[in-house]
Amino acid sequence: MALHIEKIEKSKISEVDFNNLKFGQVFTDHMFECDYENGEWQTPKIRPYQALSFDPSAKVFHYGQAVFEGMKAYKDDNDDVWLFRPDQNQERINKSAERLDMPPFPKDYFFEGLTTLIKMDSDWVQKGADNSLYIRPFVISTENCVSASSSNKYKFMIICSPVQAYYAGEVRVVFADKYSRAANGGVGYAKAAGNYAASFYPAKLAAKEGYQQVLWTDAANHEFLEEAGTMNVFFRVNDTLLTAPTSDRILDGVTRKSIIQFAEDKGIKVEVRPVRVTEIIEAAKKGELKEMFGAGTAAVISPILGFAHKGEKFELPKIDDSYASFIKKSITDIQRNKAEDKFGWRFQVK
Amino acid sequence: MALHIEKIEKSKISEVDFNNLKFGQVFTDHMFECDYENGEWQTPKIRPYQALSFDPSAKVFHYGQAVFEGMKAYKDDNDDVWLFRPDQNQERINKSAERLDMPPFPKDYFFEGLTTLIKMDSDWVQKGADNSLYIRPFVISTENCVSASSSNKYKFMIICSPVQAYYAGEVRVVFADKYSRAANGGVGYAKAAGNYAASFYPAKLAAKEGYQQVLWTDAANHEFLEEAGTMNVFFRVNDTLLTAPTSDRILDGVTRKSIIQFAEDKGIKVEVRPVRVTEIIEAAKKGELKEMFGAGTAAVISPILGFAHKGEKFELPKIDDSYASFIKKSITDIQRNKAEDKFGWRFQVK
Ligand SMILES: Cc1ncc(COP(=O)(O)O)c(C=O)c1O
Ligand SMILES: Cc1ncc(COP(=O)(O)O)c(C=O)c1O
C-alpha cells in the first residue's frame, strides 16, 4: 500500500518535560491521517502533527458521528517497542464504526499507519514502569452539511501522546441510581464519542460528593452493575472474581478479557454474569467483598477503595495479597516484555 | 454588550441557485462565534463564514461533547423577517448544555448575535411559501486534550443555511423493536450531538426496507411510541390527537408544544400520554387510525402515510379534512405573518 510521509524538520521532543506530563495534552511529532471520499479510503499519510481546517458545518460538530480507540506502546530495557493486542483495537474500531454507520477502515492501512507512526516517533516512547505512549486512533465525519443523516466523508487519524500513570490518587465510586450511560439497542458497546459526553454531568455530580467515578448500572432498573467511565469493573467476593457479561450496553474491553483469561489460567475462579447491586452490598456488609477494581487500557487496573449507593457508604478492607496488584503486575510485565507471553498478546513494533 | 463585526467584502449570494438547494449545504455570508475560556464567554464576533482551525485532539472529535439547535427565519411579503418562538430554542440549548456539562450561553449574547447575524444576511431569507432560512446555533468543546472528561473550552456558533422544503417524497416509518435512541437517565431529551449519530445505522436499515424514518420506542420494552429522528410524533385516533409526554428520553419539541396548544384552542381533543404500540396497531386495524404525522422545525408537519411493525405493514387511509394539513397551514401562516398571532409566538427580527 502507498503511504505518503512528510517528516518534521525538527523534533519538538526536547521541549517536553516527561516527568510532568498531564494526560493527553502533549502530542508527538507526527500524526497519521486518511480521508474517506467518493466511497473509498484515499492514500493515507503521515505528516507533522498540526491543527487542521474544518468547516463549521462538518457533521462531527453537529451529530457526534465519531468513534475512537485507546491503546498504549511500551519500551523495554532493550529499546524495543511493544503494543498489547492491537488486533483487538483494530477490530473494535470497525465494530464501533459499523454501529455509527461509518465505513470500516482497512486492517492493513491501520497496521501500516500505526507501526510506521510509532517507529517514526519512537523516541517519544519512554522507558520506565510508569511511562508509555498513549495512542488514539479515531474516525470523524467530515461532510459539510447540517442535515441529520450519515456523512459521506470521513477522516481516520492516529495521534500519540506520551503519558505517565492515568489515575492520580484513590478511587471511590458511586453506583448510578438515576442517570444512565447506555440503553439496550443503543450504542453503549461502541466507543462512540457521544457515550462519553453523556457521562460527564453525572460524573461531575459524583465528584462533588467525593467520588472519582460513576459505576453505571442498567438503565432499566439500576439493578445490575455494568462498567465505569472508561473501565470495566471486577468484584472479588471471597476468592471469586465477578464481572458483568458484555452486551450491547457494555464496552468489550481488551483489559477485561485479558484479565479473565489470565485469572482463569492462574486458577482464580471467574464468574462472568450479571452482578446485582444487592449482592455486592450484602457481600460488603458481610465482609466478603474483598476487592473491587476497574480495568482499562489507561491504568490496566485501578483498585476501587469504596463505594456509595443511595447515600449509604461502604469502605473496602485493606488487603495484602490482592488480586488487583497480582494481576496488574503480571499483565504489566507481559506488556513490557518482562515476562513470558503465554497467550501471544505482545506485538513488537519493528 | 460588545459584539465585534467583520463584514464580507463581497456577498456570494449571486452564486446561489435558490431553486435547487440541498438542505444544509449552502451557508450565508456571515457566522456568529463566541469562545468560552478561563471560565467565561469572551467577546462574541460576527465574521465572514469560513473554515476554522482545530487541533486533532479537540475534545469534540473524541467525546461528542456538543449540542445544537435548529430554528427558521421567514420573510413576509413586506420583506419583514420573522422567527418562531426563538426563546424556546435559547432555553433549550442551555438545558441541553447543562446535561452535557457545558456552560450556559447568556441569553443576551444569544439574541444579539442571532438578530444581528440575520439582519446582516437578510437577503438570504427568501420569500415564498417553501423558502426559509435554517438557523443552526451550536456549541462544541474545544479543549485540546484526549482524556475523557469535560472540556474547559467551548465555542458557541450560529450558522445559517437557506432551505426549501425538508422532506421530499412520502414518509413511512418503521416502529423500532430492536434498536433504541435513548435511555431513562440518559441524554435523549437534550439536542446532544451523539443522539443523532446513534440513530443513523438503524435509520439506514429502515431505509433499505423502504422506510424513511424509524419511530423510536422505549428502550426497555419497545412498548411505547416516542419520537422519530428529528420529529415528535402525533397519532389521530378517530378525532383525538395522541402524543407521548416529554420525559428524559424525548426532545421537548417547539413544534410539538405549539401543535398541542393550537389544537386544544381549536377544540381538538389532545391526549398527552404514553402511546402503546398495540393500541395504534389495533386502531389501524379497526380503521380508527386516521392520521399520523411528525412535528419538527424542519417540515413543521410531515404526514406519515404508513408504518411497519415486526414485518407487518400498515397503510393509512387517504383523508380529506386532515388535521395535519389544517394545523400545518395554520401554524405556517402564523410563522409567516399571514395570520393573527394569538399566542404571541412570532418574533420580528429588526
Ligand atoms: C466505556 C469503557 N469501558 C471500558 C473500557 C476499557 O477498555 P480497554 O480495556 O479495551 O481499554 C474503556 C476504554 O478504554 C471504555 O471507554
Ligand atoms: C430528536 C428530535 N425530536 C423532535 C424534534 C422537533 O423539535 P422542534 O419542533 O423544536 O424542531 C427535533 C428537532 O428538531 C429533534 O431533533
Side-chain angles (χ1 to χ4, degrees), chain A residues 74 138 170 197 217 254:
Chain A
Y74 310 97
F138 63 106
E170 305 190 329
T217 50
V254 180

Side-chain angles (χ1 to χ4, degrees), chain A residues 92 181 191 196 227-232 251 253-255 295-297:
Chain A
R92 194 169 61 184
R181 179 189 173 275
K191 273 184 93 82
Y196 297 82
E227 63 173 329
T230 56
M231 306 189 296
N232 296 105
L251 194 82
V254 180
T255 315
T297 294

Side-chain angles (χ1 to χ4, degrees), chain A residues 45-65:
Chain A
K45 51 194 179 203
I46 291 180
R47 310 196 269 161
Y49 186 91
Q50 62 193 270
L52 299 172
S53 174
F54 289 89
D55 196 85
S57 67
K59 289 214 175 190
V60 63
F61 296 139
H62 302 269
Y63 307 117
Q65 200 185 11

Side-chain angles (χ1 to χ4, degrees), chain A residues 115-315:
Chain A
T115 54
T116 309
L117 181 64
I118 296 174
K119 276 184 284 182
M120 286 172 65
D121 286 346
S122 66
D123 287 349
W124 294 79
V125 195
Q126 302 273 303
K127 284 188 243 192
D130 266 347
N131 298 325
S132 59
L133 186 70
Y134 182 77
I135 301 161
R136 169 58 56 88
F138 63 106
V139 198
I140 54 179
S141 49
T142 52
E143 184 186 351
N144 299 330
C145 177
V146 294
S147 89
S149 59
S150 219
S151 181
N152 61 21
K153 290 186 184 168
Y154 298 92
K155 187 184 280 295
F156 178 100
M157 296 191 77
I158 305 177
I159 58 178
C160 302
S161 174
V163 296
Q164 299 168 284
Y166 191 71
Y167 288 107
E170 305 190 329
V171 177
R172 286 178 178 79
V173 301
V174 57
F175 291 0
D177 62 3
K178 175 176 174 197
Y179 292 104
S180 63
R181 179 189 173 275
N184 291 324
V187 300
Y189 72 89
K191 273 184 93 82
N195 289 340
Y196 297 82
S199 73
F200 293 164
Y201 180 71
K204 181 167 84 175
L205 299 181
K208 272 193 195 153
E209 307 285 318
Y211 298 92
Q212 289 70 34
Q213 296 268 338
V214 176
L215 212 162
W216 297 111
T217 50
D218 62 298
N221 301 304
H222 303 295
E223 276 177 21
F224 297 97
L225 293 160
E226 308 215 308
E227 63 173 329
T230 56
M231 306 189 296
N232 296 105
V233 191
F234 287 81
F235 306 86
R236 175 179 171 186
V237 175
N238 292 322
D239 287 338
T240 302
L241 274 181
L242 307 180
T243 193
T246 55
S247 71
D248 55 2
R249 297 190 303 269
I250 297 183
L251 194 82
D252 184 7
V254 180
T255 315
R256 172 186 173 280
K257 70 173 73 164
S258 305
I259 290 172
I260 294 171
Q261 195 177 346
F262 175 84
E264 286 178 340
D265 184 68
K266 287 291 173 195
I268 295 172
K269 189 165 167 219
V270 183
E271 289 180 14
V272 177
R273 60 163 177 81
V275 180
R276 282 192 181 274
V277 170
T278 49
E279 71 178 300
I280 294 305
I281 289 177
E282 218 163 289
K285 286 182 175 166
K286 285 193 201 150
E288 293 175 1
L289 182 66
K290 307 288 186 200
E291 294 180 65
M292 285 171 63
F293 54 86
T297 294
V300 184
I301 284 181
S302 291
I304 297 170
L305 305 186
F307 66 92
H309 177 250
K310 295 192 174 166
E312 213 179 342
K313 294 180 184 185
F314 299 85
E315 200 64 21

